[in-house]
Amino acid sequence: MPRYHFHIIDGRTLLDPEGVELPDAAGARDEALRLVGEILRDPVQSVAFGSRWRLEATDSAGNLLLGLDLSLPVAAPAGG
């Protein structure tokens, strides 16, 4: 089964050297979306990555399969 890696870039690069075995690129896309959701639900991780960050999914050769750029407000808007 192929191995995919999920890296986070937020002014520094946090590489995923171990990766995850998944059946195909579609599975890697689903895993990337799951990871983003997990990070966004965790206030400690969300704050640690700042208001702008990127998750990149690569195959074992380092080819970029998916890049997700996130831009989050620093604080909740007034009134809501």
Side-chain angles (χ1 to χ4, degrees), residues 20-63:
V20 178
E21 287 187 350
L22 297 164
D24 53 25
R29 183 201 63 224
D30 292 346
E31 180 67 6
L33 294 172
R34 187 194 69 73
L35 286 171
V36 166
E38 186 177 300
I39 291 167
L40 293 176
R41 282 189 294 277
D42 182 337
V44 173
Q45 284 187 329
S46 287
V47 169
F49 294 143
S51 62
R52 292 179 162 264
W53 53 279
R54 176 178 176 86
L55 183 131
E56 292 185 347
T58 65
D59 62 17
S60 59
N63 298 309

Side-chain angles (χ1 to χ4, degrees), residues 2-3 10-13 17 25-26 30 38 40 45 62 69 71 76 78:
R3 186 168 293 273
D10 69 342
R12 61 187 182 254
T13 300
D30 292 346
E38 186 177 300
L40 293 176
Q45 284 187 329
D69 292 306
S71 179

